[in-house]
Amino acid sequence: MHFHILTLFPEMVCDGLHTSVIGRAADQGLLSIHAVNIRDYTENKHGKVDDYPYGGGAGMLMQAQPVYDAYKAVADKIDSGTSKVRVIYLSPQGKLFTQQMASELAKEENLIFLCGHYEGIDERVLEEIVTDEVSIGNYVLTGGELAAMVMIDAISRLVPGVLGNQDSGVAESLEGSLLEYPQYSRPEYWHGKQVPAVLMSGHHANIARWRREQSIVRTAKKRPELLEKAQLSEEERALAQRARME
Ligand code: SAM
């Protein structure tokens, strides 16, 4: 998986992503993170990339030319056969980013992220290059960099080999529309609290059943709206119903 990020602040993206799990995966060649400075492509001799919006209004707008040329430089280097590489514009106006979207995007070989700044980007270049407009939440950030980092982090952990134990990406919150069950590590007793006995039993079927029930109960209590899409047996639906009433 190759991530290409078009941004005015490449160091912010690189510093943020070249740490911990994602940084290690990049070092191992499982993925690459390539930040491109849009400013390097401006034709303005003073290095300007923004200007006032036509019709007035607050703030400045990123201009079409440097954004388009930065995009072209990246896209021309990517060999994607006949298919067009997806270009994701981070925007508060976009479709909300979800775990399901992360799984879908993790199947791509290359992804280009376009980070806006100031009041955003000239609409004409967006019309020309953007394939997906994505928001990471219903709030407005100062720029798309943090949003791109959030998306890249979530997508990277789904790339095979990135997580040490591949299973940990499967039985996880939001997979199958359920939250993850509670987890415990050593010691067995802490602050007077004991690890649930079933987890110490070594009985794998009972552990799996207990975890499934806990996932359902948690989801019912914390995020009941997720249960609408979860695949549950009648017995499990009844369990969820009881948990919601508690
Ligand atoms: N004037 C724009 C609007 O109302 O749609 C908002 C511009 S915002 C201040 C600057 C940039 O931050 C955007 O171009 C976008 O790239 C990024 N951004 C802001 N909020 C975001 C969000 N919730 N999700 C993803 N990107 C966001």
Side-chain angles (χ1 to χ4, degrees):
M1 165 65 83
H2 304 288
F3 298 106
H4 311 265
I5 306 120
L6 309 177
T7 167
L8 290 175
F9 300 95
E11 66 290 346
M12 177 176 175
V13 178
C14 288
D15 290 354
L17 289 172
H18 277 118
T19 50
S20 185
V21 177
I22 313 301
R24 210 164 41 237
D27 290 343
Q28 290 170 352
L30 294 166
L31 51 87
S32 71
I33 298 156
H34 174 221
V36 173
N37 193 340
I38 295 171
R39 202 177 293 282
D40 290 345
Y41 291 86
T42 181
E43 286 171 358
N44 180 284
K45 61 176 190 267
H46 304 294
K48 241 169 75 88
V49 289
D50 58 328
D51 212 328
Y52 294 99
Y54 280 118
M60 303 292 272
L61 212 56
M62 285 169 69
Q63 293 167 285
Q65 177 275 316
V67 172
Y68 184 74
D69 287 3
Y71 156 76
K72 269 297 270 171
V74 169
D76 286 351
K77 278 194 207 134
I78 299 173
D79 178 13
S80 61
T82 47
S83 59
K84 191 173 184 271
V85 178
R86 288 171 82 163
V87 180
I88 298 161
Y89 174 46
L90 288 315
S91 155
Q93 301 183 23
K95 202 169 154 191
L96 268 189
F97 184 53
T98 59
Q99 187 66 22
Q100 203 187 341
M101 203 190 287
S103 304
E104 189 214 320
L105 292 171
K107 295 181 191 130
E108 300 286 329
E109 214 168 300
N110 286 279
L111 288 170
I112 300 178
F113 291 84
L114 172 59
C115 305
H117 232 84
Y118 316 119
E119 278 313 306
I121 303 180
D122 188 307
E123 193 66 24
R124 293 166 295 182
V125 67
L126 298 178
E127 284 169 7
E128 209 151 307
I129 68 175
V130 171
T131 60
D132 303 81
E133 190 170 355
V134 181
S135 164
I136 62 156
N138 289 326
Y139 39 78
V140 180
L141 302 165
T142 56
E145 286 74 15
L146 285 171
M149 287 157 72
V150 166
M151 285 188 70
I152 291 169
D153 188 291
I155 296 165
S156 296
R157 19 192 339 279
L158 302 174
V159 171
V162 169
L163 295 183
N165 172 5
Q166 223 25 60
D167 284 350
S168 58
V170 176
E172 198 151 43
S173 289
L174 306 176
E175 292 293 339
S177 297
L178 290 178
L179 301 181
E180 193 181 56
Y181 44 81
Q183 303 235 57
Y184 305 86
S185 185
R186 268 187 256 243
E188 187 183 342
Y189 291 90
W190 182 81
H191 280 205
K193 294 175 182 171
Q194 190 185 355
V195 172
V198 63
L199 298 178
M200 314 297 288
S201 68
H203 192 299
H204 296 300
N206 284 354
I207 292 173
R209 191 173 320 116
W210 181 85
R211 285 181 165 167
R212 170 94 183 156
E213 286 170 5
Q214 290 296 314
S215 280
I216 294 166
V217 168
R218 284 212 143 174
T219 312
K221 287 186 172 167
K222 293 187 183 185
R223 299 284 306 275
E225 79 284 3
L226 292 176
L227 286 174
E228 282 164 31
K229 286 195 189 149
Q231 295 199 334
L232 302 181
S233 67
E234 254 176 55
E235 212 175 299
E236 289 174 338
R237 287 241 166 254
L239 173 67
Q241 188 66 23
R242 285 197 300 278
R244 283 179 81 162
M245 313 265 246
E246 272 172 19

